[in-house]
Amino acid sequence: MSEPALLEIEGISKFYGNIIALRDITTSVRAGEVTCVLGDNGAGKSTFIKILAGAHKQSEGKVFVEGEEVDFDSPRDALAMGIATVYQDLAVVPLMSVWRNFFLGAEPTKWGLLKVIDKEKASGIAKAELAKMGIDIRDTEQPVGTLSGGERQSVAIARAAYFGAKVLILDEPTSALGVKQSGVVLRYIVEARNRGLGVIFITHNPHHAYPVGDRFMILNRGQSLGDYAKDELTQAELTQLMAGGADLAALQHELSKAIADR
């Protein structure tokens, strides 16, 4: 019998009065896999993230962590269950050093009750953990704002992994980056997957999602257009689903039929 998914979402819906933000969303993420959630602006990606991060409660549906149903009352609850979210605007302080940004108040201390920050230990841990993600920071004293956009993302990802995250939710990590830096971030996503984490990669770009993804869910106006394993669709089919248009339902039907016939 296979192990349960790290995180499973079953029939999640979110209503704001008469407004339907999400309707009947189901997907999962397993250890060592990347689940990509794709959709344009207004598709429901932000609401989806906030529910998984514990910031919002779903109106309907269930969330399971390692097979156990959970009910998050706050982001602290989600984090305690190993679900860490790296938001698009990043929780980094540009003028603060790399190692201080890595710990952000959770620095190791020395000398017992005095609780003096062990700067040398903190710097060493930050450097080592970033190296595991494939980033060589020569000087962890440098302000994190001097790093490239991709490197700043790596600090946030490595930090979440170090502090016990089992599932990483990445909110549009490549959206504001150029081609080269986007490639850097995609490499970090692969590194996180290789370390056994489950990754939920939120993006609007199928060309970024397909090379690193193991599973793909497409959102459109709060509804799922399908939840597919990588061997069930090509990058071209994923791009077509993302393209939308008046014939979207017909395209989805054709794709489902093609998958069934394989």
Side-chain angles (χ1 to χ4, degrees):
M1 184 176 177
S2 62
E3 293 185 3
L6 284 178
L7 181 64
E8 191 169 1
I9 299 95
E10 185 179 292
I12 288 294
S13 298
K14 180 64 177 178
F15 311 125
Y16 297 99
N18 293 328
I19 298 173
I20 302 172
L22 287 177
R23 182 191 288 277
D24 196 23
I25 304 301
T26 296
T27 191
S28 62
V29 59
R30 295 185 175 274
E33 290 190 357
V34 178
T35 293
C36 299
V37 178
L38 298 102
D40 287 325
N41 293 337
K45 302 193 302 295
S46 293
T47 302
F48 181 73
I49 292 171
K50 288 173 182 175
I51 290 172
L52 298 187
H56 286 181
K57 275 187 171 290
Q58 67 268 25
S59 304
E60 296 176 350
K62 299 177 180 179
V63 176
F64 299 87
V65 175
E66 296 182 291
E68 296 291 327
E69 186 176 353
V70 295
D71 186 21
F72 300 142
D73 289 321
S74 69
R76 187 183 296 273
D77 288 348
L79 197 56
M81 294 296 294
I83 300 172
T85 304
V86 177
Y87 289 101
Q88 189 173 355
D89 54 1
L90 294 178
V92 295
V93 184
L95 296 179
M96 193 180 284
S97 68
V98 170
W99 71 265
R100 290 300 296 269
N101 269 280
F102 188 89
F103 287 96
L104 285 180
E107 293 87 353
T109 57
K110 57 184 178 181
W111 298 339
L113 296 176
L114 292 176
K115 292 188 179 295
V116 175
I117 292 175
D118 191 336
K119 178 179 171 182
E120 185 176 346
K121 182 178 180 180
S123 180
I125 290 172
K127 188 176 180 68
E129 291 299 314
L130 287 166
K132 290 179 184 178
M133 298 297 297
I135 273 289
D136 180 20
I137 300 294
R138 293 182 182 179
D139 182 10
T140 58
E141 286 287 352
Q142 70 187 94
V144 78
T146 63
L147 301 180
S148 69
E151 289 170 336
R152 289 196 296 274
Q153 287 280 354
S154 78
V155 172
I157 293 170
R159 179 176 68 200
Y162 176 75
F163 283 104
K166 297 175 183 177
V167 176
L168 276 176
I169 303 173
L170 305 178
D171 175 23
E172 298 272 10
T174 61
S175 66
L177 303 179
V179 174
K180 183 177 179 181
Q181 287 303 316
S182 292
V184 169
V185 172
L186 294 178
R187 192 178 80 231
Y188 302 149
I189 291 174
V190 172
E191 287 293 336
R193 177 182 67 188
N194 291 345
R195 291 175 65 179
L197 279 70
V199 180
I200 296 180
F201 177 21
I202 311 291
T203 182
H204 63 273
N205 192 325
H207 303 290
H208 290 172
Y210 198 81
V212 301
D214 298 289
R215 180 156 218 90
F216 307 91
M217 182 181 72
I218 302 95
L219 287 177
N220 182 269
R221 297 182 182 179
Q223 299 189 61
S224 173
L225 299 181
D227 186 51
Y228 305 101
K230 192 164 191 170
D231 60 2
E232 292 179 326
L233 80 172
T234 65
Q235 182 169 333
E237 289 168 335
L238 179 63
T239 302
Q240 280 186 300
L241 279 171
M242 278 291 297
D247 60 344
L248 191 52
L251 176 61
Q252 183 186 7
H253 176 73
E254 290 174 10
L255 179 56
S256 298
K257 186 176 183 300
I259 291 170
D261 292 340
R262 285 179 183 175

